[in-house]
Amino acid sequence: MARRSMPKQQPYSRTKPRPLHRVLPIRHHASSIPFLLLPAVCLVLSGCVRPEPPADLVIINGTEPESLDPATIVGIPEMRLTKALFEGLVRLDPTNAQPIPALAERWDVSPDGKVYTFHLRTNATWSTGEPITSADVAYSWLRALSPGTAGDYAGQLFYIKNAEAYYTGKIKDPAQVGIHALDAHTVRVELNDPLAFFLDLCTFPTLAVVPHQTIEKHDYRWLSVRPLPCSGAYELVAWRLNDKVRLRKNPHYWDAAHTQSDIIDILPTGSPNTALNLYETGVADIVWDKELVPSELLDVLTKRPDFHTWDYLGTYFNRFNVTRGPLTNELVRKAFALATDRERITRKITRGGEKPAFHFVPDGTANYQPPPGLPFDPEQGRRLLAQAGFPGGKSFPHLQYSFPSAASGAARLQGKIAVELQQMWRDGLGIEVELRQIERKVFYAAQSRLDYDISGSSWIGDYNDANTFLDLFTSNSGNNRTGWRNRRYDELIHQANRQLDLKRRAELFRQAETVLVAEEAPVAPIYFYAGFNYFDPRKITGIYQNILDEHPMQYIRKVKTQPISRIQYSVFSIQSRRAANN
Amino acid sequence: MTDPKLDPQSTSPAPHRSPLAPPPSLSPNQRAWRRFRRNRSAVLSAWVLAAVVLLVIAWPIGLKLASFAGPKGAAFSQASQPDKLSDDQFQPPSAKHWFGTDVHGRDLLSRVLYGAQISLLVGIVGAGVSLVIGVLWGAIAGYAGGRVDSVMMRFVDILYSLPSIIFVIVLITTLEGVLKNWLTAIGSPSLGKSARLLFLFIGLGAVSWLTMARIVRGQVLSLRQRPFVEASRALGAGPARILARHIIPNTLGVVIVYITLTVPAIILYESFLSYLGLGVQPPMASWGSLIAEGADQMNPIRIYWWLIAFPGGLLVVTLLALNFLGDGLRDAWDVRGES
Amino acid sequence: MYFLKRLLLIVPLLLVISLLAFVLVRVAPGGPFDRERKPASPEIERQLKAHYHLDEPVWKQYLRYLDGLVVHGDFGPSLKYRNHTVNDIIAQGLPVSMCLGMLAFGFAMGVGVPVGYFTAIRRGHWEDYSGSLFAVLMICIPGFVVGPLLVMFFAIKWQLLPVALWASPAHAILPTMALGLYFSGRIARLMREGMLNTLQAEFITTARAKGLSENAVLLKHAFRLAVLPVVSYSGPLLADLLTGSFVIESIFQIPGIGVFFVNSMLNRDHTMIVGLVVLYATLLVLLNLLVDLAYVLLDRRVKYD
């Protein structure tokens, strides 16, 4: 091709506007029509989102629930939802998280503490009208224990006679399990040993009552049936993944007279900033998941009247793999614990008012006084390290501190805590520990295989009793994952759980915990979690703070008051949209 | 899949010269270089990139020198280490910390510049890996033709249909452990520390070679018909020699331009991985991880703007420069430009 | 005939892709049920795995899966959302992602094509510099920075638009912009390149020599060919857009299937991943076919055998 110089470009006329058909050659090119029509069609279609009546209450609950089947769920956001839908024999009082009657109006305990007889309410019915009987209770508990259900939390029921044998298949006949429906409204439960916290256990979602009529017909998809028979204060109207869960007041609930809000929308959110934005613009009334708080803003947020924080039943701690290298020596482990400046971590990194933890069971756990544990004393740590054969950290083998990766949310703090710990151990002990951020699933798999050196871990209590924390480290607990086995510890825990005398029990637990955190130290606690939620106390009533973060939805009500203008903030001034609308 | 895109230029014969034009005294490369120099934005971009690279190299050296320059210099050097934790959290830019500090009280300027090393390395090495794999694959497929071409390109199509995040996660989870053990075995634990980094170099390149392979194949398909290739074949050159000496060098124009566009893509992908928590390991920083941390800062209440503005700004400037440089290179070497 | 042949090739292609995805997700260590809080006894874990046939050899699992897919059209139960099947989840999320995707596509084309076109015909002038700067800027800023920036200004500071969620047409505006801006940059560059290439062609000079007005030259003749690179890019672009963007859907909390592409891999939700991969591959192949069809319509020189 002959190279020619480009003719001088004619500038297009700037005064005359170009007609559309010249700019976009629609006439000539049929293939470009779809480019233009489809978006228009879509815009129209997107407007055809079904209009729904607005909800009385909008709550941001955390990430999308994996399931709403009480027998299979594990996570806390799921448990909050299922507690609204499916009730058990006992529930927790919203003000102090103590067990109070639910489907069972009263119960008798045998003198040896091994037999509980629950008397069900005669007026309890499903949301679809059928009566709830003791056969439903027995069905639900046996289902939770059934191998076919494959529920993660079936272990909660292993305290019942023959329950574990039934689960593992040693016994095939469910009638041999210690759960019997004596008549239509009486359930008798036989335990292996007297259990001080059995009633707390009965509030757990695994033991909630589920509709056998729906499950038998629809198997694992029973939650998609509408109307879904619910035994709780609310029934399930809609469940759209990553969109919302809509609950409506269950008129057949035995306590329906006290249910405050008619329609509640639960929004799933993974990102703390999105949750904050939704709250600030008035779309959401409550945000209640401690993972959904932007940790950099905590120093500002904790000063606001609509931000609430309190002690929570959970601990963040370091696990040591006691089967590896220098960590087999408890002097080394204690040195690491002594060199950990918890106060610095809670002040600099977590910043939400969390309490530094020197022992494992959180302060405020019912009926329990924890022992003091190991303080922050790097000097003592260095002495122990020298005693163990590594004076000044010399010739200390290479160790890794591993923690799981996280895309968003408070889980990202683990990386920041790791950076601080690395520095503390470097300055305090002279030991260089390498940080390893491992992809989440690989991390948990590796931890189970004991393929780590030191790892960051957390544990949230299932019920308000020291046992939920301390039985983690018994020799055959699946959640031990440190390789630590101590006969004396196992014996103490076992003994404590057979005690009915609370004082004696607390004493035994205290001795056990001393072994755990002060003598052997397979774990080094770092801080106790704090619970967070956002709501305006002038507008929302019915939420009481308690250590279990238990807020039954039926008591929550949004008061429609005069709009109160929000406090101005330094970056942007924000006025509530809802205030403008009300 | 046939590639019906026709490029009018590629089937044209060699350019004629008018008998009145002065005899050519410059080689094609020199002419291209002149064209390049005339492209203002490309030259500016080249300077910007050079400045960034210079800064990135000079900063650690500067800090080292400062530590010998008396007590004040030593203090400055100490405080400016990218790994030095302090209690001065979230300080805005000041005389002591020009870019401010982050959550651990670490100097942000140092972290940005050290992070630049990682990001640029990841981008360049990753692009290099994708270059090697892509060029070889595309050249072999294009030159061999027929069955071999079909199978190789089918393979590319199949891999194209797989979302790359799957590969990346599989690679991270399987290879990283293996790499780490291997590196620790042959070197020392400190070499093992760079396993994640090494994986990022290789892994990101390994998910980016597909488009390169397609482009190279397209080029090779058209080059294959050219007379000089036929001549070479007639003289008895084997396929490997033809590929190495004639075909691949002629694809280099397109390839180099594509590299300058792949480097930004890889840097951005690394930033996406850091957003997911799968990027470089703490306490190391890369632009991607700094920006991912900074992106968390955008909220309505209080913004620590320096945490996102500085790393983000530097990233954008560098990527802009890379893109304009690539454009300039393409305009210069490709016959599309003006004479 | 050519297109029919290609349509038939889809089936073996999908088989290979599904097998590849099936194997890959099992190669990655860690399983769907590994988490911080493990079941108290290993028996429970074993039961869980047996329930979903994860303890069987891989080939057996694959055959079982194929049986479900081919015979019943069932992608299987999700391993993470255990009360839903993959079909449920896709049926809920795909329309939303498609809607957002089409809007973003329209936006990207509506912004990118004109910008590319004008920067090409006004090459060397300020329109070129500013347009090119805009286009390149759009592809250099990561999406998870653009999204929150847009939210900060439009939704929070100026309170013009909603912050997140997907409940009305107004909710679609910010996500469309956030998603479309990046691609508008790419399309602008492709358009510019195509336009510059085409303007060199012989037939353009011929048209000018024949005395056609500049407008007619540019629009009637040049544009048609110049838009070819954009058209060929549209195939993969639409496939990516229609299956949703992880970043945008996370930031704006949009109930599409984009988040599942990444999350199901991070959660090792085997069935979900394979289902999504098959969906994506099908879309990609079909769209590429459409693109090639469009080529035939646009460029009369192209013929397929």
Side-chain angles (χ1 to χ4, degrees):
Chain A
M1 181 192 89
R3 199 83 58 75
R4 267 172 263 261
S5 57
M6 273 274 278
K8 186 170 187 312
Q9 290 160 343
Q10 292 178 25
Y12 55 87
S13 159
R14 272 176 237 206
T15 49
K16 212 169 42 168
R18 313 196 77 176
L20 191 67
H21 74 272
R22 285 188 175 271
V23 178
L24 298 164
I26 306 174
R27 244 186 278 160
H28 302 290
H29 306 295
S31 49
S32 51
I33 291 183
F35 288 161
L36 304 161
L37 277 188
L38 268 169
V41 171
C42 271
L43 199 58
V44 171
L45 281 181
S46 75
C48 293
V49 174
R50 245 169 311 141
E52 285 175 325
D56 296 319
L57 198 59
V58 178
I59 306 179
I60 292 184
N61 188 37
T63 51
E64 174 65 33
E66 291 178 9
S67 165
L68 290 179
D69 182 346
T72 59
I73 55 175
V74 182
I76 293 175
E78 288 86 347
M79 291 190 184
R80 289 193 204 117
L81 276 173
T82 55
K83 280 187 178 171
L85 293 170
F86 301 108
E87 208 174 49
L89 293 175
V90 185
R91 64 192 166 120
L92 290 174
D93 186 311
T95 51
N96 55 15
Q98 292 296 312
I100 55 175
L103 281 177
E105 55 182 354
R106 60 190 169 82
W107 48 84
D108 311 311
V109 187
S110 69
D112 65 353
K114 287 203 213 175
V115 180
Y116 284 73
T117 312
F118 293 95
H119 303 273
L120 302 182
R121 286 173 205 278
T122 43
N123 60 345
T125 57
W126 292 104
S127 60
T128 41
E130 308 95 336
I132 302 178
T133 64
S134 51
D136 288 315
V137 178
Y139 170 82
S140 306
W141 290 24
L142 286 170
R143 175 177 179 260
L145 276 176
S146 158
T149 313
D152 280 32
Y153 258 120
Q156 299 288 47
L157 287 140
F158 286 0
Y159 299 102
I160 299 177
K161 191 174 86 154
N162 285 337
E164 190 168 359
Y166 177 68
Y167 186 83
T168 49
K170 292 202 195 85
I171 299 179
K172 296 289 193 298
D173 178 16
Q176 292 190 357
V177 180
I179 307 166
H180 301 286
L182 295 179
D183 61 39
H185 297 285
T186 318
V187 180
R188 190 182 70 200
V189 181
E190 292 152 29
L191 305 175
N192 290 324
D193 292 307
L195 205 60
F197 56 89
F198 182 64
L199 284 175
D200 295 85
L201 214 52
C202 288
T203 66
F204 213 67
T206 321
L207 286 86
V209 180
V210 291
H212 67 92
Q213 63 270 38
T214 319
I215 299 175
E216 277 159 5
K217 254 210 278 193
H218 293 97
D219 195 29
Y220 69 94
R221 302 192 63 197
W222 63 278
L223 285 155
S224 306
V225 171
R226 302 279 176 272
L228 182 67
C230 297
S231 52
Y234 286 90
E235 51 178 346
L236 187 62
V237 173
W239 181 15
R240 298 195 290 268
L241 257 72
N242 287 331
D243 189 6
K244 66 161 70 143
V245 174
R246 177 162 274 220
L247 304 176
R248 185 175 50 216
K249 172 172 169 170
N250 175 5
H252 295 271
Y253 181 58
W254 61 269
D255 200 24
H258 291 122
T259 306
Q260 300 290 326
S261 300
D262 238 5
I263 299 189
I264 302 184
D265 274 349
I266 312 281
L267 303 180
T269 309
S271 149
N273 280 326
T274 310
L276 183 60
N277 289 342
L278 287 169
Y279 176 74
E280 289 288 309
T281 48
V283 175
D285 301 307
I286 303 173
V287 178
W288 63 20
D289 189 85
K290 64 170 181 45
E291 302 289 317
L292 284 182
V293 177
S295 52
E296 312 81 26
L297 293 175
L298 275 168
D299 56 333
V300 171
L301 291 174
T302 43
K303 299 198 184 80
R304 283 168 44 154
D306 60 349
F307 184 78
H308 313 268
T309 153
W310 65 92
D311 294 334
Y312 189 76
L313 201 70
T315 311
Y316 185 76
F317 61 102
N318 284 338
R319 269 192 169 89
F320 297 110
N321 184 350
V322 311
T323 61
R324 269 208 191 168
L327 295 171
T328 49
N329 186 344
E330 77 262 12
L331 292 173
V332 170
R333 302 196 296 265
K334 291 205 292 199
F336 274 112
L338 287 163
T340 307
D341 187 358
R342 282 94 163 168
E343 191 271 330
R344 185 185 163 91
I345 290 179
T346 54
R347 179 176 41 91
K348 266 187 81 174
I349 307 291
T350 62
R351 295 156 43 114
E354 288 87 352
K355 306 257 175 5
F358 301 96
H359 48 265
F360 194 64
V361 180
D363 293 322
T365 309
N367 309 316
Y368 183 63
Q369 270 299 105
L374 293 172
F376 171 52
D377 189 349
E379 183 55 47
Q380 166 79 336
R382 284 192 280 274
R383 273 200 295 273
L384 290 183
L385 198 61
Q387 252 186 296
F390 306 102
K394 261 201 278 279
S395 64
F396 193 84
H398 179 83
L399 286 185
Q400 293 174 353
Y401 178 90
S402 48
F403 56 96
S405 67
S408 67
R412 282 219 171 151
L413 284 178
Q414 297 208 50
K416 304 192 175 132
I417 294 174
V419 172
E420 292 284 332
L421 284 175
Q422 188 190 41
Q423 184 77 19
M424 283 171 201
W425 291 332
R426 188 188 288 142
D427 292 341
L429 300 175
I431 294 178
E432 190 65 39
V433 173
E434 184 198 336
L435 297 183
R436 267 201 85 193
Q437 179 191 56
I438 306 185
E439 199 257 334
R440 213 177 73 231
K441 290 290 185 180
V442 180
F443 173 80
Y444 294 130
Q447 206 185 52
S448 298
R449 292 196 302 269
L450 291 182
D451 184 12
Y452 70 96
D453 296 324
I454 311 176
S455 69
S457 311
S458 78
W459 187 258
I460 314 283
D462 297 327
Y463 42 85
N464 193 354
D465 186 275
N467 185 54
T468 183
F469 286 89
L470 294 175
D471 77 351
L472 279 182
F473 299 106
T474 52
S475 301
N476 45 15
S477 162
N479 285 307
N480 184 336
R481 289 177 278 167
T482 58
W484 184 66
R485 298 181 123 85
N486 186 303
R487 286 274 264 333
R488 185 163 157 248
Y489 184 82
D490 291 349
E491 192 49 42
L492 283 167
I493 302 288
H494 186 58
Q495 280 295 332
N497 273 327
R498 304 175 81 203
Q499 291 293 327
L500 279 177
D501 175 4
L502 292 175
K503 273 220 195 46
R504 177 90 188 109
R505 194 159 176 268
E507 181 48 43
L508 288 167
F509 274 144
R510 203 188 145 94
Q511 286 179 24
E513 197 176 354
T514 311
V515 174
L516 182 71
V517 293
E519 289 172 22
E520 297 270 324
V523 298
I526 302 190
Y527 66 89
F528 298 127
Y529 283 114
F532 303 113
N533 47 34
Y534 307 67
F535 63 91
D536 190 338
R538 291 166 303 201
K539 287 213 210 143
I540 311 275
T541 61
I543 301 187
Y544 309 95
Q545 314 301 7
N546 54 66
I547 198 173
L548 286 177
D549 196 18
E550 182 73 23
H551 310 291
M553 288 190 222
Q554 67 245 47
Y555 299 115
I556 306 176
R557 189 160 74 98
K558 192 167 82 165
V559 175
K560 295 221 190 296
T561 58
Q562 277 302 102
I564 302 164
S565 68
R566 276 206 197 278
I567 309 164
Q568 311 282 342
Y569 298 110
S570 52
V571 178
F572 299 125
S573 64
I574 298 155
Q575 276 124 10
S576 162
R577 258 153 125 246
R578 202 151 282 190
N581 291 335
N582 275 346
Chain B
M1 194 153 54
T2 54
D3 191 347
K5 202 160 84 147
L6 289 187
D7 185 356
Q9 263 62 38
S10 64
T11 52
S12 60
H16 300 305
R17 295 207 58 79
S18 153
L20 294 175
S25 53
L26 300 166
S27 76
N29 268 347
Q30 284 173 309
R31 260 179 288 164
W33 183 238
R34 275 173 112 203
R35 274 199 294 270
F36 180 79
R37 280 218 303 266
R38 263 184 277 156
N39 183 343
R40 273 179 294 178
S41 54
V43 171
L44 183 65
S45 305
W47 280 114
V48 166
L49 277 175
V52 169
V53 170
L54 200 65
L55 199 58
V56 164
I57 299 178
W59 182 255
I61 302 178
L63 280 187
K64 204 80 199 269
L65 289 177
S67 64
F68 297 130
K72 248 179 148 195
F76 177 76
S77 168
Q78 262 295 77
S80 301
Q81 287 301 319
D83 281 349
K84 178 92 179 73
L85 306 183
S86 74
D87 276 333
D88 291 336
Q89 286 186 298
F90 293 130
Q91 296 298 312
S94 61
K96 190 165 173 219
H97 296 284
W98 297 349
F99 277 6
T101 62
D102 68 354
V103 61
H104 294 286
R106 295 180 291 204
D107 180 43
L108 193 67
L109 174 60
S110 275
R111 283 183 72 74
V112 169
L113 290 177
Y114 274 80
Q117 290 178 3
I118 309 273
S119 280
L120 290 173
L121 267 180
V122 168
I124 292 172
V125 177
V129 170
S130 88
L131 168 96
V132 168
I133 305 179
V135 166
L136 282 177
W137 195 276
I140 294 175
Y143 191 71
R147 219 49 187 315
V148 175
D149 175 30
S150 200
V151 166
M152 287 179 93
M153 291 327 275
R154 271 304 80 70
F155 190 69
V156 168
D157 287 340
I158 289 175
L159 287 184
Y160 228 90
S161 321
L162 230 43
S164 51
I165 189 70
I166 300 183
F167 268 125
V168 169
I169 293 180
V170 171
L171 282 174
I172 289 187
T173 53
T174 53
L175 283 195
E176 202 203 340
V178 169
L179 254 181
K180 194 172 196 57
N181 294 334
W182 180 66
L183 282 174
T184 318
I186 65 167
S188 68
S190 53
L191 196 56
K193 260 188 260 186
S194 38
R196 172 63 71 92
L197 209 53
L198 200 59
F199 155 74
L200 280 177
F201 290 163
I202 301 176
L204 290 182
V207 298
S208 322
W209 63 269
L210 296 172
T211 324
M212 173 79 77
R214 278 218 178 129
I215 290 183
V216 170
R217 174 194 175 259
Q219 280 285 96
V220 169
L221 272 182
S222 63
L223 278 174
R224 188 159 75 133
Q225 324 287 7
R226 295 277 195 90
F228 70 94
V229 173
E230 276 208 48
S232 213
R233 241 196 308 243
L235 287 174
R241 189 180 166 79
I242 295 182
L243 269 177
R245 290 218 58 190
H246 298 286
I247 299 213
I248 290 183
N250 273 297
T251 62
L252 276 182
V254 172
V255 161
I256 285 178
V257 166
Y258 198 75
I259 290 286
T260 56
L261 301 175
T262 311
V263 172
I266 291 187
I267 296 182
L268 281 175
Y269 199 73
E270 191 270 320
S271 119
F272 173 64
L273 285 183
S274 295
Y275 179 72
L276 291 179
L278 297 172
V280 292
Q281 302 264 26
M284 252 199 276
S286 73
W287 277 340
S289 70
L290 289 171
I291 290 177
E293 279 173 27
D296 279 343
Q297 297 297 327
M298 289 192 269
N299 58 71
I301 296 183
R302 174 190 59 201
I303 307 182
Y304 292 126
W305 58 271
W306 56 94
L307 289 179
I308 178 75
F310 291 120
L314 210 54
L315 175 79
V316 168
V317 163
T318 310
L319 294 187
L320 273 177
L322 275 169
N323 272 298
F324 280 123
L325 184 65
D327 278 353
L329 285 176
R330 178 179 41 214
D331 285 350
W333 260 266
D334 192 16
V335 286
R336 219 182 346 95
E338 272 78 50
S339 54
Chain C
M1 235 341 37
Y2 168 77
F3 288 103
L4 209 61
K5 231 187 359 180
R6 282 185 55 181
L7 267 174
L8 288 176
L9 276 179
I10 291 180
V11 175
L13 185 73
L14 287 181
L15 268 175
V16 173
I17 289 177
S18 66
L19 181 59
L20 194 59
F22 203 84
V23 169
L24 272 180
V25 74
R26 280 161 179 74
V27 163
F33 308 117
D34 286 325
R35 49 178 114 224
E36 174 83 59
R37 174 183 296 260
K38 290 182 67 80
S41 91
E43 182 58 32
I44 298 180
E45 249 193 292
R46 211 186 53 75
Q47 290 284 8
L48 207 49
K49 289 208 170 116
H51 185 84
Y52 289 100
H53 309 290
L54 294 176
D55 49 355
E56 288 177 358
V58 179
W59 61 266
K60 212 164 171 193
Q61 291 181 47
Y62 184 64
L63 285 175
R64 185 188 290 274
Y65 178 78
L66 265 191
D67 174 60
L69 181 57
V70 175
V71 176
H72 305 287
D74 180 17
F75 282 117
S78 165
L79 295 181
K80 168 115 171 132
Y81 300 100
R82 285 158 57 182
N83 298 115
H84 290 89
T85 59
V86 175
N87 295 51
D88 286 339
I89 300 177
I90 294 183
Q92 274 185 16
L94 190 59
V96 176
S97 285
M98 282 191 139
C99 186
L100 179 60
M102 286 306 310
L103 288 172
F105 183 71
F107 180 88
M109 293 298 245
V111 171
V113 165
V115 168
Y117 177 76
F118 288 126
T119 57
I121 64 179
R122 297 292 297 158
R123 183 183 189 172
H125 297 230
W126 68 269
E127 287 98 336
D128 182 17
Y129 290 131
S130 54
S132 293
L133 185 65
F134 166 81
V136 176
L137 201 63
M138 285 305 107
I139 59 182
C140 287
I141 309 184
F144 53 87
V145 171
V146 173
L149 266 177
L150 288 175
V151 168
M152 240 179 29
F153 285 106
F154 288 96
I156 297 184
K157 181 146 214 246
W158 299 323
Q159 297 195 21
L160 292 171
L161 293 167
V163 150
L165 305 180
W166 184 258
S168 75
H171 284 85
I173 297 180
L174 279 184
T176 306
M177 273 175 70
L179 192 51
L181 279 174
Y182 173 82
F183 296 109
S184 68
R186 294 199 72 160
I187 290 178
R189 284 166 64 78
L190 282 172
M191 185 68 208
R192 178 175 186 270
E193 215 182 286
M195 204 59 197
L196 287 176
N197 257 334
T198 315
L199 286 175
Q200 298 299 318
E202 270 180 335
F203 72 96
I204 294 291
T205 334
T206 319
R208 284 208 177 104
K210 277 164 79 176
L212 287 177
S213 76
E214 190 63 16
N215 261 356
V217 168
L218 290 173
L219 293 171
K220 246 173 107 164
H221 298 280
F223 183 84
R224 219 182 139 128
L225 283 185
V227 88
L228 283 179
V230 175
V231 170
S232 78
Y233 179 60
S234 298
L237 173 64
L238 261 179
D240 273 332
L241 284 177
L242 293 179
T243 47
S245 151
F246 171 76
V247 171
I248 301 296
E249 291 186 7
S250 304
I251 295 174
F252 292 95
Q253 205 53 43
I254 293 178
I257 55 172
V259 283
F260 290 105
F261 275 91
V262 174
N263 282 339
S264 48
M265 191 59 204
L266 291 175
N267 291 326
R268 308 288 194 274
D269 188 349
H270 303 311
T271 43
M272 191 78 211
I273 270 283
V274 180
L276 286 175
V277 168
V278 168
L279 176 73
Y280 178 75
T282 313
L283 261 176
L284 190 62
V285 170
L286 285 175
L287 285 169
N288 276 334
L289 214 65
L290 273 175
V291 159
D292 288 342
L293 202 64
Y295 252 81
V296 172
L297 292 174
L298 280 172
D299 185 355
R300 301 281 154 70
R301 289 179 288 183
V302 176
K303 290 224 187 321
Y304 296 109
D305 36 60

